[in-house]
Amino acid sequence: MRDPSGRLLRLLSLLQTPREWSGTELAERLGVTARTIRRDVDRLRELGYPVHATHGSAGGYRLTAGAAMPPLLLDDDEATAVAIGLRTAAAAAVTGIEDTSLRALAKLEQVLPHRLRHRVAALTEAAVPLPPQDGAPPAADPSVLALLAAACLTREKVRFTYTAADGRGTRRLAQPHRLVTAGRRWYLVAHDEDRAAWRTFRVDRLTDPHRTGMRGPELRLPGGADAAAWAMDALAGGSGTIRARLLLHAPVEEAAEHVTAWQGVLEPAGDRTCLLHTRSDSMRFLAYRVTLLPIDYTLLDPPELAGHLAAIADRATRAIRPFTAP
């Protein structure tokens, strides 16, 4: 790239990706010499971009945090994604970001090209968010989410206090792996260092987190499972070899107000329905858990569960027969 301004923007775009680039890689990408890359990096620093350089065979360039945030360079898809995310932030399960999101959106839309404004407006007009409901699950603290997300990327161990369902608090040391959303709750999948085991933590029950500066090795979940599947199994009744799947006749936002993690994990399945995944070691206990649902549902699998649900329904019908009108 011979145009200095265009090359500088392209270099900035590469450096804004979360990785370290060697001078050779950048020179090959931009079709220039390593000396030109060093000169362009110096120009970026003069403009306020904190580009960190490490020397040696394993060295390279990366963009780090500075005293102030310089302008971000976004392509069309990235700008659209950010704008849509800000528009829907008020309905997200994160505390205290509604006003901040609106301010950021106003700044972004002021500089969006017309073609991107039209794209964002079309999607936001077609998608209507449900208003927050009374009794909705507690929202997560955005600063806690940001800290945990950063620790997931850097494999840095974190100390925090975790409050269990019974109200008992314990201090934990864990290496975060992934953040997972289920319904309107956030969960952290992490390796508990004190217990030498994988755990799933509800983020709204996690307080006083501190990054330790200690980095662990890259860890993989047992059996090669992904974080979403692991969290779903952990929340859907814990251990258990019998799995059930039900179609709930309610939007996932509404169902999340009534379905606890003890009963299973919710998954969106359309505007008016959602899926419930649950499991147990006992078919009878699984049927009992399902009958506690305060929402209409359709059993999808396993078919063997239908007989146990029918038996519970028959007993309930016989129990109330003397009190029902003929």
Side-chain angles (χ1 to χ4, degrees), residues 247-264:
L247 182 69
L248 304 189
H249 300 192
V252 67
E253 294 85 358
E254 179 182 335
E257 300 175 27
H258 306 286
V259 178
T260 66
W262 174 77
Q263 291 173 297

Side-chain angles (χ1 to χ4, degrees), residues 20-94:
E20 189 165 288
W21 296 85
S22 69
T24 302
E25 287 178 309
L26 293 173
E28 291 177 352
R29 287 290 189 105
L30 300 178
V32 295
T33 65
R35 182 180 179 182
T36 301
I37 292 298
R38 289 194 295 270
R39 187 168 59 246
D40 286 348
V41 166
D42 288 339
R43 292 184 62 193
L44 287 177
R45 288 170 176 159
E46 292 173 359
L47 293 172
Y49 291 93
V51 182
H52 177 74
T54 53
H55 302 287
S57 58
Y61 299 98
R62 58 187 173 90
L63 203 62
T64 62
M69 189 180 74
L72 294 176
L73 185 66
L74 302 175
D75 61 26
D76 283 8
D77 290 340
E78 291 169 342
T80 302
V82 171
I84 292 172
L86 290 171
R87 279 188 177 271
T88 57
V94 183

Side-chain angles (χ1 to χ4, degrees), residues 18 60 69 109 123 129-131 155 187 205 223 273 285 320-321:
M69 189 180 74
E109 289 191 334
L123 182 55
L130 289 174
R155 305 195 304 272
Y187 296 89
R205 291 179 177 171
T273 58
F285 183 74
I320 65 174
R321 189 168 294 154

Side-chain angles (χ1 to χ4, degrees), residues 56 97 122 133 138 288 303 324:
I97 65 171
Q133 303 291 322
Y288 165 73
T324 58

